[in-house]
Amino acid sequence: LHFEEDLNITHMYSAEGEEIELFRTIYPTGNVEDWLLDVEKVMKESVKDNIERSLKTYPETARTEWVLIWPGQVVIAGCQTFWTMEVSEALQTGDLGSRLFPKLSSQDDLRVCAVNAEFLYGYEYLGNTGRLVITPLTDRCYLTLTGALHLKFGGAPAGPAGTGKTETTKDLGKALAIQTVVFNCSDQLDFLAMGKFLKGLASSGAWACFDEFNRIDIEVLSVVAQQITTIQKAQEQRALFRPVAMMVPDYAMIAEISLYSFGFSNAKVLAKKITTTFKLSSEQLSSQDHYDFGMRAVKTVISAAGNLKRENPVMDEVLTLMQQCSGHKVI
Ligand SMILES: Nc1ncnc2c1ncn2[C@@H]1O[C@H](COP(=O)(O)OP(=O)(O)OP(=O)(O)O)[C@@H](O)[C@H]1O
Ligand SMILES: [Mg+2]
């Protein structure tokens, strides 16, 4: 937050240093718990106001200019709104539209629809953070999770390490601009701590991602199930987590789009090279614990290459990437 000399709060900053002017200034008086709530309210109003104004100017401004004017989160929300609008318009020219998108009314709040589930955009300010590549697997995970949430269930993505379970869950929270708390569970977690956590969630309306749920002791888990049943009973729903199997992430697509986002123009070919290199290495090198050819390793190489590209934009793209691959501990 930015405080003026007289303590008036005028701007907010993201972790990346993005600045947003607040919709109205606030003066912190009284207890910190109270004025922080006010800050939260103004944060949401400001994001909402930015999105509304950006949507108005979108049709009149060149897209290349428009994306640079507005905060990152606003750009993503705005692009998705227009994309949805244009696709549904195109569908409505056929009769498909009436079945797929029955209602796309122009309400005040931004609404996010996923098949039959409908959510209000949360207007939580997220800063200018990176977002995931939407692959068919991410899409499937989103659809299952939103479908489950619509019925007031939870979701439980399961699968091997590094397939994007945690990140996809967090990314869905970002897509809806809803505060998402990621909690790393361990066998130290007891039902009292969990109870407190759930109380906090219920009163703030935030989402939670209980990462590594499998680590919780089975005895504690049974009480947790009870606690969740109680909460869901309050909403007259049954307790259930809907499973999503996440087996193999779409390496090539994630690599390609991540490379494009770092400014590589030959991303398609490069992505193929890098995924093939990783695939061959994992198949042909002896299996040793310190080898890692998962998605995390691919991401590490790509972000390192991306940083190098930023420092040295004219360097040959293949060289930039190869330098990172060879720097990676195994190749
Ligand atoms: N669709 C995607 N777009 C971009 N990056 C992705 C995508 N899916 C996964 N990743 C990247 O893959 C890496 C592993 O993802 P994540 O941490 O979510 O795995 P996980 O399934 O939770 O693994 P674990 O079981 O070890 O907790 C992260 O660096 C993440 O950014
Ligand atoms: Mg994880």
Side-chain angles (χ1 to χ4, degrees):
L1 294 179
H2 177 78
F3 292 87
E4 296 277 272
E5 265 176 17
D6 58 358
L7 284 186
N8 245 339
I9 306 174
T10 54
H11 290 80
M12 60 182 172
Y13 296 94
S14 77
E16 303 77 33
E18 188 181 63
E19 180 189 84
I20 294 201
E21 191 180 346
L22 292 183
F23 185 60
R24 57 184 163 87
T25 62
I26 28 178
Y27 188 76
T29 46
N31 296 330
V32 67
E33 299 87 341
D34 295 332
W35 65 260
L36 269 184
L37 279 180
D38 214 24
V39 170
E40 191 184 359
K41 205 161 146 239
V42 177
M43 163 189 79
K44 293 190 177 173
E45 285 170 6
S46 311
V47 174
K48 185 171 176 198
D49 171 63
N50 262 283
I51 292 182
E52 278 170 8
R53 282 188 293 127
S54 75
L55 290 181
K56 281 199 193 100
T57 57
Y58 184 91
E60 298 138 27
T61 325
R63 198 181 141 88
T64 39
E65 282 171 35
W66 185 84
V67 292
L68 296 177
I69 301 175
W70 300 97
Q73 182 185 349
V74 173
V75 169
I76 294 182
C79 285
Q80 284 174 333
T81 309
F82 275 92
W83 186 85
T84 314
M85 214 135 81
E86 283 159 19
V87 169
S88 52
E89 261 165 32
L91 286 173
Q92 261 151 12
T93 45
D95 77 328
L96 250 185
S98 55
R99 269 179 286 154
L100 271 181
F101 295 90
K103 40 187 189 311
L104 240 181
S105 68
S106 55
Q107 259 183 2
D108 241 16
D109 278 318
L110 214 55
R111 292 176 315 142
V112 183
C113 303
V115 195
N116 62 343
E118 190 181 311
F119 302 88
L120 283 183
Y121 192 79
Y123 296 109
E124 179 82 20
Y125 177 53
L126 305 165
N128 199 348
T129 53
R131 291 285 298 272
L132 289 190
V133 176
I134 309 289
T135 65
L137 179 67
T138 339
D139 238 358
R140 189 157 57 82
C141 185
Y142 275 10
L143 283 179
T144 317
L145 291 184
T146 47
L149 282 168
H150 179 63
L151 302 170
K152 307 279 190 287
F153 295 153
T163 44
K165 301 180 292 296
T166 310
E167 294 301 320
T168 311
T169 311
K170 280 160 67 184
D171 205 64
L172 181 63
K174 288 189 192 172
L176 300 178
I178 287 174
Q179 186 187 12
T180 309
V181 186
V182 179
F183 185 75
N184 249 311
C185 300
S186 73
D187 50 4
Q188 302 299 311
L189 186 74
D190 61 10
F191 72 94
L192 286 173
M194 194 70 172
K196 283 185 190 154
F197 202 98
L198 292 172
K199 270 193 256 175
L201 290 175
S203 56
S204 68
W207 284 2
C209 167
F210 293 106
D211 214 1
E212 319 291 346
F213 206 69
N214 47 311
R215 288 201 197 141
I216 304 181
D217 277 346
I218 189 83
E219 295 85 4
V220 178
L221 214 51
S222 71
V223 186
V224 173
Q226 274 292 317
Q227 292 170 326
I228 293 180
T229 321
T230 313
I231 297 173
Q232 287 181 326
K233 268 210 189 113
Q235 310 171 40
E236 293 176 40
Q237 294 287 345
R238 274 185 311 122
L240 194 90
F241 282 93
R242 186 161 282 189
V244 192
M246 313 253 314
M247 296 314 284
V248 198
D250 196 330
Y251 283 68
M253 189 164 165
I254 295 174
E256 181 187 339
I257 296 178
S258 307
L259 283 169
Y260 271 127
S261 78
F262 278 113
F264 285 86
S265 47
N266 205 6
K268 201 172 184 90
V269 179
L270 293 174
K272 184 130 205 267
K273 279 191 205 292
I274 183 170
T275 43
T276 314
T277 315
F278 270 78
K279 186 159 170 280
L280 282 177
S281 312
S282 70
E283 285 168 4
Q284 302 203 341
L285 294 176
S286 60
S287 56
Q288 294 186 48
D289 282 350
H290 60 272
Y291 284 172
D292 176 12
F293 301 106
M295 198 56 228
R296 286 201 175 90
V298 178
K299 283 283 272 213
T300 313
V301 169
I302 292 182
S303 7
N307 290 340
L308 192 64
K309 172 97 184 158
R310 262 184 210 155
E311 282 164 24
N312 202 344
V314 286
M315 188 167 159
D316 184 68
E317 292 190 345
V318 180
L319 259 181
T320 313
L321 196 66
M322 282 323 289
Q323 197 166 332
Q324 293 313 320
C325 275
S326 54
H328 187 61
K329 61 191 167 203
V330 283
I331 305 168

